[in-house]
Amino acid sequence: MRRLSPGAQEDLRLRVVAALESGRVATYGQAAEVFGVAERSVGTWWRAFKSGGRQALLAPERESRAGRGELIDDSARGAVLQAMRDYTPADLGQSGVMWTRASVRVLIRLVCGVSMTEQGVGKWLRRHGFTPQRPARRSYRQQDEQVRAWLEDEYPAIAARTRKEKAELVWADQCGLRSDTAPPGRSWAPAGHTPLVRVNGRRFKVNIMSAVASRGALWFTVFPEKFTAKVFCAFLDRLATQARRKVHVIVDRHPEVPPRCGGR
């Protein structure tokens, strides 16, 4: 019986009582045998039905986890969660720029006067839609207004010009690679056993200039020397030759300012 869901238990109680009420079964023992339940339970359900009617057999409504059992009321909870959305721990007098269970615990104690364990803080955050996530990186000097203006005004004009001239629009960037750098990200592994990624023990690095078109075409070049205007122009010449058409290149200059477009 306990393995059934609350809804299934309710349905079973109602069917047992209906069988007794209609006369399909005459005794508690017969009902217990037919429905596979304890005779004592049948008697309990029948007496509840006789005193309280069908309502007495319904499954009790589960109390909301965010209801009477919460130590933090709605307004205080909203203040804590909003502070986590808008600020970092360092902004509010703590150390660090990422919210951990320990820092949230301190915040809850300061705002709400409620002391919680770190495990309880984790359960509380999940209950209200927060999960641990790897944060995205963004330059604090990024010029949002210029970026927005570029996306709304300049880029549509570039795309229209590209279509008019039947040119290829590509996105270009330069980066460096090191032979001893493990792949970024996380890997699942048994607890206590740190996963290993084998890399080349000989340390060397190269630079790569690459460009990708909106339809998936990719061009790149690898060079050991520093990235200079001469290297960039040589790459553009090679790109225009391989694309076999005029190319408009959007270069990722820096995360703080909008990209720059040039033709070749």
Side-chain angles (χ1 to χ4, degrees):
M1 179 69 177
R2 293 183 177 179
R3 296 179 180 179
L4 299 177
S5 66
Q9 293 180 30
E10 175 186 294
D11 180 67
L12 178 59
R13 288 191 294 268
L14 292 171
R15 288 191 290 117
V16 170
V17 168
L20 284 169
E21 187 179 26
S22 65
R24 287 189 290 117
V25 292
T27 65
Y28 295 166
Q30 289 179 358
E33 184 178 353
V34 170
F35 291 97
V37 295
E39 184 175 339
R40 183 177 178 180
S41 297
V42 174
T44 300
W45 299 340
W46 179 253
R47 288 189 294 272
F49 171 72
K50 297 299 287 186
S51 62
R54 185 176 182 276
Q55 190 67 30
L57 302 176
L58 301 182
E61 293 186 5
R62 299 185 65 182
E63 182 180 301
S64 172
R65 299 183 69 182
R68 187 158 49 89
E70 281 241 1
L71 297 176
I72 302 174
D73 60 32
D74 292 345
S75 61
R77 179 174 68 248
V80 170
L81 300 181
Q82 193 62 46
M84 292 177 62
R85 293 186 183 97
D86 296 341
Y87 303 100
T88 67
D91 294 331
L92 301 178
Q94 299 190 53
S95 60
V97 295
M98 293 190 292
W99 287 107
T100 63
R101 292 183 301 178
S103 58
V104 176
R105 181 179 180 226
V106 172
L107 179 65
I108 291 175
R109 188 170 66 247
L110 292 175
V111 174
C112 310
V114 175
S115 181
M116 301 174 64
T117 64
E118 289 191 16
Q119 183 179 12
V121 169
K123 292 181 178 179
W124 183 82
L125 289 172
R126 289 183 183 276
R127 186 184 309 163
H128 297 294
F130 279 62
T131 58
Q133 302 174 44
R134 176 170 292 183
R137 294 171 52 181
R138 178 178 297 177
S139 172
Y140 67 89
R141 295 182 295 178
Q142 179 170 301
Q143 301 173 23
D144 294 330
E145 290 301 323
Q146 290 190 26
V147 172
R148 187 177 300 108
W150 187 88
L151 290 172
E152 294 177 355
D153 301 326
E154 293 188 38
Y155 176 71
I158 295 171
R161 179 184 172 190
T162 302
R163 291 191 296 269
K164 181 179 179 180
E165 298 180 1
K166 297 182 179 180
E168 189 79 56
L169 181 63
V170 302
W171 300 78
D173 195 11
Q174 182 270 335
C175 67
L177 295 179
R178 285 178 40 162
S179 62
D180 59 344
T181 302
R186 300 179 181 180
S187 177
W188 288 92
H193 297 272
T194 303
L196 297 178
V197 176
R198 297 189 179 278
V199 297
N200 194 331
R202 298 179 180 179
R203 298 182 179 179
F204 64 89
K205 59 183 180 180
V206 295
N207 292 316
I208 296 179
M209 187 70 200
S210 59
V212 60
S214 57
R215 288 177 290 183
L218 173 68
W219 301 269
F220 69 92
T221 185
V222 179
F223 53 96
E225 66 270 23
K226 292 183 178 181
F227 181 63
T228 63
K230 181 179 179 180
V231 171
F232 183 49
C233 289
F235 172 73
L236 292 182
D237 287 337
R238 177 183 173 188
L239 175 60
T241 300
Q242 292 181 340
R244 298 179 180 178
R245 64 166 73 182
K246 186 174 181 180
V247 176
H248 290 301
V249 183
I250 296 180
V251 182
D252 187 1
R253 296 171 58 197
H254 198 277
E256 299 171 9
V257 294
R260 173 181 294 171
C261 180
R264 197 71 176 179

Short mmCIF file of all heavy atoms in Angstrom, two decimals, residues 38 67 119 141 240:
data_model
loop_
_atom_site.label_atom_id
_atom_site.label_comp_id
_atom_site.label_asym_id
_atom_site.label_seq_id
_atom_site.Cartn_x
_atom_site.Cartn_y
_atom_site.Cartn_z
N ALA A 38 -5.00 -5.11 3.82
CA ALA A 38 -5.21 -5.65 5.16
C ALA A 38 -6.67 -5.47 5.58
O ALA A 38 -7.28 -4.44 5.30
CB ALA A 38 -4.28 -4.95 6.15
N GLY A 67 5.53 26.92 1.79
CA GLY A 67 4.44 27.45 2.60
C GLY A 67 4.80 27.57 4.05
O GLY A 67 5.83 28.12 4.42
N GLN A 119 24.05 22.78 3.53
CA GLN A 119 23.23 21.80 2.81
C GLN A 119 21.80 22.32 2.69
O GLN A 119 21.16 22.19 1.64
CB GLN A 119 23.23 20.47 3.55
CG GLN A 119 22.45 19.37 2.82
CD GLN A 119 22.49 18.05 3.57
OE1 GLN A 119 22.91 18.00 4.72
NE2 GLN A 119 22.05 16.99 2.92
N ARG A 141 34.40 46.47 -18.86
CA ARG A 141 34.52 47.72 -19.62
C ARG A 141 33.78 47.67 -20.96
O ARG A 141 33.92 48.56 -21.78
CB ARG A 141 36.01 48.03 -19.86
CG ARG A 141 36.79 48.31 -18.58
CD ARG A 141 38.23 48.66 -18.89
NE ARG A 141 38.94 47.53 -19.47
CZ ARG A 141 40.22 47.58 -19.86
NH1 ARG A 141 40.91 48.69 -19.74
NH2 ARG A 141 40.80 46.51 -20.38
N ALA A 240 40.32 35.61 -49.92
CA ALA A 240 39.60 36.08 -51.10
C ALA A 240 39.82 35.14 -52.29
O ALA A 240 38.92 34.89 -53.09
CB ALA A 240 40.04 37.49 -51.45
#
